[in-house]
Amino acid sequence: MPKRRATITAVGHYVPEKVLSNADLEKMVDTNDEWIRTRTGIVERRILEQGGSSDMGARAAEMALTHRGISADEIDCIIVPTVTPDMFFPSTACLIQEKIGASRAWGFDLSGACSGFLFALVTAAQFVETGMHSKVLVIGVDKMSAITDYTDRNTCILFGDAAGAVLVEPTEEEGYGILDSILRCDGSGQNALYMRGGGSLNPASHATVDRKDHFIYQDGKAVFKVAVVKMADVSAEIMERNHLTGDQIDWLVPHQANLRIIDATADRMSLDHSKVMINIDRYGNTTAATIPLCLSEWWQAGKLKRGQRIVMASFGAGYTWGSILVKWSVPDLSTATK
Ligand code: COA
């Protein structure tokens, strides 16, 4: 019997309206537009002024369901990769389940930082491939502004808020869908990028607040050195083991943390830079949302087309990293169910 393969059948996204530009940040910390653009590629990012991650996630999920033309009560499972859940519990998946009215679903949050979306997509694919489920929503969402210290120029220029959602279903189309994945983690990177406070090791206290333990800490240089190698390696590895060359890949969909890391990955894949999805200039690093946000925007713009071969790649806190090879099967927007 042929293997039941999982595929992405719909995409959606949500970005908040409020824009925080480099010029705005110049007024808040000792930085400048030129430094931010040249060191990171970021020009502006979005900030959610009211509500939590579940509000953005619900909007992204609803867009995906509308494009697919199905109602939320057909969803079996909701997986929400995030490092900024509305609260520790209940899970953001439960809150989104209620907001969108997914009456038959179960769900859970997944902690994979900037690789969370890839980890969750592969998890969803397992439920579909085993036959346990037919419709799994993966909603990458982060409200990074909630854990960003806007007096720390090392981090506050980097992050933004957004959500991206994909629907994962079975496909019988030969050669389409989620074809291969490589996922990794290495806890030796734990001290380079973290939020120390609020968990069981360092529960919230006056001292943790005074120490700013509830904000992101990043040793940017240390993370950069590892990220630039690992993200490129894992992207090249998935191409090699699938006997693919750069001209056989239509899109690289990279996690959007730093334009220089993205460029290095594309070079390693021998990929023309016009085939790289980049929106870091408009949104900064939105952690678990970066990759599905790209997928949704590129599909809606008619640039990501059915039949194209794409490689998604990420690197994030943990360390965590990975790559996924997909043959895109979502009907082009002109033919999709509206
Ligand atoms: N504005 C102006 N100057 C700044 C600045 C800012 N916002 N932030 C840091 N600087 C200064 C530093 O103080 C330093 O000055 P010094 O040389 O006098 O000490 C100089 O700029 C260089 O700082 P450095 O941290 O070495 O910059 P960098 O080139 O490494 O870029 C990052 C910083 C964060 C953009 C980069 O390291 C990075 O992208 N890291 C990886 C991020 C990542 O992939 N994370 C994983 C996923 S979330």
Side-chain angles (χ1 to χ4, degrees), residues 30-31 35 39-40 114 153-154 157-158 193 218 220-221 223-224 227 255 257-258 260-261 285 315-316:
D30 179 15
T31 190
W35 191 95
R39 303 312 289 167
T40 70
C114 296
R153 72 174 183 174
N154 292 304
I157 56 144
L158 299 171
L193 178 51
Q218 176 172 245
K221 213 173 275 221
V223 177
F224 187 95
H255 171 56
N258 187 307
R260 291 179 288 147
I261 298 174
N285 182 348
F315 185 88

Side-chain angles (χ1 to χ4, degrees), residues 140 165 239 277 311:
M239 286 171 67
M277 293 190 191
V311 171

Side-chain angles (χ1 to χ4, degrees), residues 85-165:
D86 283 24
M87 53 196 98
F88 263 165
F89 63 88
S91 70
T92 314
C94 284
L95 305 179
I96 293 176
Q97 177 279 328
E98 201 260 334
K99 283 184 171 136
I100 66 174
S103 56
R104 290 176 46 248
W106 70 291
F108 57 95
D109 291 2
L110 186 153
S111 178
C114 296
S115 300
F117 177 76
L118 297 195
F119 288 13
L121 182 59
V122 170
T123 305
Q126 308 313 302
F127 287 126
V128 169
E129 287 176 3
T130 58
M132 180 170 172
H133 290 319
S134 290
K135 288 183 170 53
V136 182
L137 266 175
V138 177
I139 308 165
V141 57
D142 271 301
K143 181 184 172 184
M144 296 305 287
S145 63
I147 57 168
T148 297
D149 175 2
Y150 286 96
T151 66
D152 174 13
R153 72 174 183 174
N154 292 304
T155 52
C156 74
I157 56 144
L158 299 171
F159 296 99
D161 305 338

